[in-house]
Amino acid sequence: MSTRIVWLRRDLRLSDNPALTHAAARCERLLILYIHAPDEEAPWAPGGASRWWLHHSLERLSDALRDAGSELVIRRGPSLEVLRECIDATGADAVCWNRLYDPATRERDGRIKQALRDDGVETRSFNAALLAEPWTVETGSGGPYRVFTPFWKAIREDIGALSPAPVPTLPPPPDIPSEPLASLELLPTLNWADDFSRHWTPGADGARQRLDGFLTDSLEHYADGRDIPSQDLTSGLSPHLHFGEIGPREVLAATRATSSDDGRTRSAKNADKFLSEVAWREFAHHLLFHFPHTTEAVMNPRFRQFSWDGNAQDLDAWQRGRTGIPIVDAGMRQLWRTGWMHNRVRMIVGSLLTKNLRHHWLEGARWFWDTLVDADLANNTLGWQWIAGCGADAAPYFRIFNPVSQGEKFDADGDYVRRFVPELARLPNRYVHAPWSAPADVLRAAALRLGHDYPLPIVDLKASRQAALAAYDAVKG
Ligand SMILES: Cc1cc2nc3c(=O)[nH]c(=O)nc-3n(C[C@H](O)[C@H](O)[C@H](O)COP(=O)(O)OP(=O)(O)OC[C@H]3O[C@@H](n4cnc5c(N)ncnc54)[C@H](O)[C@@H]3O)c2cc1C
């Protein structure tokens, strides 16, 4: 009886999963295997919030497979050893998986592919995660893209033809034991993540609900609303996309169907904007694949000698949402409480950390890595290098976000700040983004003692901006 193995990694879904579809059509027994081997992703093994997500996602996947007459078998790594044990135990003659693009897993997967082939086992890999794999797109002169707009132009026509595949009929599983999910010890021992489940439903059903809800309620406000952090107008799909609970082909097809059903120009404009953000994810993977060193080192060589000289105390205040700068503290507390932060605010907190406080962008990237449920090596690396000014298509070095004017512009009525920094709830709008500028009687009326109930700013925004400009000026090109 022929047996195959599908090795699931960050493709935790049954629909539009080409490795699963391929294997299911070619065997009588199908082993669906998840191997927990975080060390193989070092130095970017999943952080705390990602592990929380993964636990729940595996639980949901296991339920879905049981409902489909199959089973999820969970094992702990090393991956090659586990695959060989499973091949021995089941007599499987082929292993299929969907490709990943980060340096550590690419190296591992290449090694495993060779070793299994040497053992005489067939291996097949597929694309489940991207609209355009990194090696399929190149500039006119033949190299990788470094700027987003031409990259998006190059892929947007071709991706029009992509359509997602349905859930396949699954052959029964071979009789092979699984380890209990709890043995992976993915959940935090602190009660830190207790609130996450109020905000998120990991798993493919949760992903589909998010997408449907977004397309029905928010897409038509996306282009203008996506920058307003107090409003829930972005898709919230990032952790689902990261773990492959939904694929980008499914997102693309559903978005196009919605905007063409409805036929309004407004909707087409919003759909275009949304798909261009999804394409930033493609661009991030393109960069990560072609410039794998950028997970640790600057993309722009001019920044190799840049003096990042932040101090530990400021980093701690930033992480805990105690900088005394309201929109920054609101963002950092949103992150801690919900495992996610609005994109506009990610840029504001990143600019403060790398420019005003002059911390190395890797300090920010590492904190996000541990606390974001959507922590993704491609997107996080791109985001941090972009905001620090040392990345591809980076903000001009002189663009230093002023967190007060950003707050006044994108959180004009202070709703976002008030939600996450309740100490400031009673301040009038005029002062909510700069409480230090409020007169004493206003502070008294708001029951706010600066430096006591809420910190004074840890940095002089104007002076630190000048110092950052001078430092960036030295490396500009
Ligand atoms: C400093 C910094 C760090 C970041 N770290 C991450 C990270 O670890 N993981 C992550 O998924 N995103 C990261 N981003 C990008 C962006 O903030 C999130 O993708 C977005 O906020 C997710 O919310 P959403 O799903 O509602 O986005 P939507 O606006 O609904 O966008 C839809 C999808 O497009 C993709 N996308 C949107 N914006 C970007 C972007 N700028 N870069 C790459 N992909 C994008 C995401 O997959 C997202 O789910 C980072 C941005 C910055 C500035």
Side-chain angles (χ1 to χ4, degrees):
M1 189 176 297
S2 74
T3 303
R4 285 183 174 236
I5 297 176
V6 172
W7 176 23
L8 294 180
R9 297 96 67 81
R10 291 201 289 274
D11 47 352
L12 304 179
R13 65 178 185 271
L14 307 187
S15 60
D16 200 37
N17 185 327
L20 188 66
T21 303
H22 176 92
R26 286 166 182 78
C27 62
E28 291 152 286
R29 296 255 176 244
L30 181 61
L31 170 58
I32 302 178
L33 179 65
Y34 181 83
I35 306 173
H36 185 58
D39 297 350
E40 295 174 8
E41 295 178 57
W44 296 99
S50 297
R51 290 198 297 272
W52 174 88
W53 190 285
L54 180 60
H55 175 96
H56 294 288
S57 190
L58 290 172
E59 203 166 39
R60 294 284 80 77
L61 181 66
S62 198
D63 294 345
L65 283 170
R66 208 168 305 119
D67 291 347
S70 183
E71 186 190 358
L72 180 66
V73 171
I74 296 174
R75 292 291 176 90
R76 275 178 288 176
S79 297
L80 179 58
E81 260 176 44
V82 172
L83 285 166
R84 280 179 166 152
E85 277 165 25
C86 292
I87 290 165
D88 284 350
T90 61
D93 54 14
V95 181
C96 301
W97 62 80
N98 294 307
R99 290 185 280 274
L100 296 170
Y101 307 89
D102 43 298
T105 47
R106 267 174 64 205
E107 188 277 326
R108 177 203 58 191
D109 291 354
R111 224 174 352 93
I112 289 181
K113 184 178 191 169
Q114 191 56 52
L116 293 181
R117 285 187 176 173
D118 292 348
D119 294 348
V121 175
E122 182 189 331
T123 63
R124 290 292 303 269
S125 70
F126 300 85
N127 170 23
L130 294 176
L131 299 172
E133 287 189 294
W135 53 88
T136 64
V137 196
E138 55 181 32
T139 63
S141 53
Y145 282 91
R146 292 157 191 264
V147 179
F148 173 72
T149 306
F151 170 83
W152 178 215
K153 235 186 215 164
I155 66 166
R156 63 182 302 165
E157 295 307 321
D158 294 345
I159 60 173
L162 299 173
S163 57
V167 178
T169 304
L170 299 176
D175 186 16
I176 177 169
S178 172
E179 293 191 34
L181 177 57
S183 72
L184 307 188
E185 299 182 344
L186 294 167
L187 294 175
T189 45
L190 298 171
N191 58 1
W192 156 51
D194 288 358
D195 259 10
F196 287 6
S197 45
R198 286 184 34 226
H199 302 276
W200 303 105
T201 309
D205 289 346
R208 197 69 221 189
Q209 280 157 19
R210 272 269 172 188
L211 177 62
D212 293 346
F214 169 72
L215 294 176
T216 310
D217 301 330
S218 309
L219 179 67
E220 64 174 312
H221 310 289
Y222 183 78
D224 298 327
R226 61 181 284 274
D227 267 323
I228 311 296
S230 62
Q231 293 183 17
D232 200 9
L233 292 175
T234 67
S235 69
L237 282 172
S238 48
H240 299 289
L241 280 164
H242 171 75
F243 284 97
E245 297 166 351
I246 193 163
R249 288 183 290 253
E250 296 174 289
V251 174
L252 175 77
T255 306
R256 292 220 160 128
T258 303
S259 63
S260 63
D261 281 355
D262 137 339
R264 286 173 295 169
T265 338
R266 195 161 64 133
S267 172
K269 176 187 113 186
N270 284 296
D272 265 9
K273 184 67 194 156
F274 175 62
L275 292 177
S276 79
E277 292 305 316
V278 174
W280 271 95
R281 175 177 175 275
E282 301 285 321
F283 183 52
H285 283 78
H286 184 82
L287 292 174
L288 182 65
F289 178 85
H290 290 291
F291 306 101
H293 65 283
T294 55
T295 58
E296 319 288 325
V298 288
M299 172 97 185
N300 180 344
R302 285 203 181 87
F303 280 80
R304 278 192 199 130
Q305 307 307 327
F306 188 76
S307 66
W308 316 92
D309 57 0
N311 69 58
Q313 219 178 333
D314 288 351
L315 180 63
D316 183 64
W318 178 83
Q319 290 172 340
R320 291 190 303 127
R322 303 277 303 159
T323 65
I325 300 163
I327 190 114
V328 171
D329 293 341
M332 298 309 291
R333 294 183 198 187
Q334 179 181 33
L335 174 60
W336 185 252
R337 209 182 301 161
T338 70
W340 185 88
M341 191 195 302
H342 189 278
N343 181 61
R344 168 62 44 186
V345 191
R346 292 188 201 204
M347 294 193 283
I348 300 170
V349 305
S351 173
L352 187 95
L353 185 75
T354 57
K355 291 178 170 164
N356 301 86
L357 299 176
R358 293 274 286 287
H359 264 286
H360 199 289
W361 61 272
L362 270 171
E363 296 286 1
R366 289 193 185 111
W367 182 253
F368 271 30
W369 189 255
D370 205 28
T371 53
L372 277 173
V373 288
D374 68 17
D376 179 279
L377 196 54
N379 292 354
N380 200 40
T381 303
L382 171 70
W384 277 100
Q385 292 230 23
W386 185 89
I387 201 65
C390 54
D393 204 354
Y397 74 94
F398 49 81
R399 187 180 297 157
I400 297 175
F401 285 63
N402 178 329
V404 176
S405 48
Q406 288 281 310
E408 288 166 352
K409 182 167 177 195
F410 296 109
D411 185 36
D413 48 15
D415 284 354
Y416 179 73
V417 160
R418 289 193 181 89
R419 188 184 315 156
F420 291 104
V421 190
E423 304 93 292
L424 305 179
R426 292 167 65 187
L427 272 184
N429 286 357
R430 179 162 171 209
Y431 299 109
V432 76
H433 290 290
W436 58 87
S437 65
D441 58 326
V442 172
L443 292 174
R444 236 187 339 270
L448 181 65
R449 289 163 302 165
L450 284 179
H452 189 268
D453 306 311
Y454 182 71
L456 283 157
I458 59 168
V459 66
D460 178 325
L461 291 173
K462 206 167 162 195
S464 59
R465 177 189 155 80
Q466 290 311 323
L469 281 175
Y472 275 73
D473 212 28
V475 294
K476 79 167 191 240

